[in-house]
Amino acid sequence: MEDWTQTLGTGPLLSIAVGAVALILILIIRFKVHAFITLIVVSTLTAVVAGVPLSALSETLTDGFGATLASVAILVALGAMLGRLVEHSGGAKALAEALISRFGERRAPFALGIASLILGFPMFFDAGLVMMLPIVFAVARRVTGKSVLLFGLPTAAAFSVMHVFLPPHPGPVAASELYEANLGIVLLVGLVIAYPLWYLAGYLWGMFVGQRLMIPVPAIFGEVDEDQPSNPPRVRTIVFLLLLPMTLILFNTGLNSLTSVGVFDGDSTWVQALSFLGTTMMALLITVIVATIVLGYRRGESGTAVEKLLDSALGPVCSVILITGAGGMFGGVLRASGIGDALADSLSDLGLPVIVAAYLIAVAIRLAQGSATVALVTAAGLAAPAVLAGDFNSFQVASIVLATAAGSVFAGHVNDSGFWLVGRLMGMNVKETLKTWTVQQALQSVLGFVMVVVVYLAASLL
């Protein structure tokens, strides 16, 4: 692959991408072919049609699959184990009843969303989602006759908003570095828009969809046990388990931010140790170990029973993990074929205002190849020279950072591994996921961009 150069132009490459997406939708929706098989077959065909050398075909396919599993598989597995422990112990039910008692059934989706906004400040999207879904499922079961989307979409949207727009998440941090933006101002602007953006694109959209599309509570890791203990753990114990990974991850993100501005020495052993414990994988692993002790052994469960309980959590999520990995494979093929790069080069010559150009380039690359990170970094790399050469104040540069981030999340669909993760965890098929999550991501992107432009125009008056 290193010696291979794409010779096709933007038009043919874009046609290949559109055709591949259409074929996936037809095979899955019309002919009911399993998503895992469909994604592998279409990924292979796409790579061949795009001219990827046959000698590099296998590596191209497995690289995309493996890279996605590396970031998703461990987190989903640990999250499922944690969810199974919380559910089996009766903790999810206890917390659900406490939330409904405190906020009422009508305000429960709002309360879940606010909790997810807080948890989402340090936690990555996928880790936060798999950790919160057992609570979401318990609340949805407690409020009988309601779609799980009424509670699940506001929760997922909250994690997405925080992940896209707030440092220390990698997207805005990467764009800030490329644009040489003040990270503190980026954080300030992100905090200003985060709540209203979630309320409009997450909470209200979740209420709208949840009342029109009935999706029952899935049993993926939120199934009720017939032998659930009669003495559930205290609510504060479950809250502690939810806050534990957030606190650990703050060690990582907080220390990394302070190290980057010179407050601490990044080579110090204690900084590296706390940063390692605060990585998402280690934070969830530590939480699962603590939950195993607190919700398992200390409550009288035998070692064999706890081992079987944890093992039972893995089977149902295997399909989610594999399909998500296959979605990453498809996105990896599109990236390797050069579709995103060709599209970005064409858009960069349109002569648009920098903030608009950066947004549109990120949108186009996101739609073409799926990865939000690639879309953001590519768009920021193309727009960075104009930003650095322009006469922009700190708030304007911060607005351009967040505009680029907004574009990178637009309308995630079948070439995005997150699309499959959300859809499968919430028990939706492809058509339902397109109607709910893809539209939510588009709303979040457009509304986020509008809010950032308002900040940009206000900053131009300073």
Side-chain angles (χ1 to χ4, degrees), residues 62-354:
T62 54
D63 281 353
F65 186 78
T68 302
L69 289 188
S71 62
V72 170
I74 295 176
L75 301 186
V76 173
L78 290 174
M81 287 181 168
L82 178 60
R84 195 76 181 99
L85 286 165
V86 171
E87 177 60 48
H88 175 77
S89 68
K93 180 181 178 181
L95 183 56
E97 291 178 348
L99 281 171
I100 291 173
S101 175
R102 175 67 179 83
F103 296 97
E105 292 186 1
R106 293 185 61 184
R107 301 285 287 176
F110 183 83
L112 286 169
I114 293 297
S116 299
L117 282 173
I118 296 171
L119 292 171
F121 182 74
M123 297 193 72
F124 284 11
F125 171 77
D126 42 11
L129 184 63
V130 296
M131 190 184 71
M132 275 296 292
L133 279 183
I135 309 302
V136 171
F137 293 163
V139 173
R141 278 196 299 268
R142 175 68 172 74
V143 185
T144 55
K146 300 292 185 180
S147 172
V148 72
L149 298 182
L150 196 68
F151 310 91
L153 278 181
T155 297
F159 284 112
S160 179
V161 167
M162 300 301 281
H163 189 79
V164 172
F165 292 99
L166 269 294
H169 290 284
V173 170
S176 297
E177 292 176 354
L178 289 167
Y179 291 140
E180 296 184 6
N182 184 311
L183 200 60
I185 295 178
V186 173
L187 176 61
L188 177 61
V189 176
L191 286 172
V192 168
I193 69 171
Y195 173 77
L197 178 57
W198 166 78
Y199 186 83
L200 294 172
Y203 176 69
L204 292 184
W205 175 247
M207 296 300 96
F208 177 82
V209 171
Q211 293 169 0
R212 289 162 175 78
L213 182 60
M214 180 61 195
I215 302 292
V217 180
I220 191 163
F221 48 70
E223 189 176 18
V224 177
D225 293 315
E226 296 298 330
D227 59 344
Q228 198 169 71
S230 58
N231 57 332
R234 295 181 179 180
V235 171
R236 66 186 183 189
T237 302
I238 305 304
V239 172
F240 163 75
L241 290 173
L242 292 178
L243 293 179
L244 177 58
M246 184 186 80
T247 304
L248 291 171
I249 291 171
L250 272 175
F251 287 150
N252 178 280
T253 55
L255 286 172
N256 286 344
S257 298
L258 292 172
T259 299
S260 65
V261 297
V263 176
F264 295 122
D265 180 8
D267 295 327
S268 300
T269 302
W270 72 272
V271 171
Q272 294 179 355
L274 288 179
S275 294
F276 172 70
L277 292 177
T279 58
T280 306
M281 179 186 73
M282 290 304 301
L284 279 177
L285 176 62
I286 291 169
T287 304
V288 170
I289 292 172
V290 173
T292 301
I293 296 170
V294 173
L295 302 180
Y297 300 133
R298 291 191 63 182
R299 298 179 62 78
E301 297 273 7
S302 68
T304 301
V306 173
E307 189 273 334
K308 289 182 178 179
L309 182 67
L310 294 175
D311 187 63
S312 70
L314 297 179
V317 298
C318 282
S319 176
V320 174
I321 292 171
L322 290 174
I323 292 173
T324 301
M329 175 191 292
F330 180 52
V333 166
L334 293 177
R335 289 191 291 277
S337 66
I339 290 172
D341 293 337
L343 198 56
D345 290 339
S346 299
L347 286 173
S348 64
D349 299 328
L350 294 180
L352 297 168
V354 173

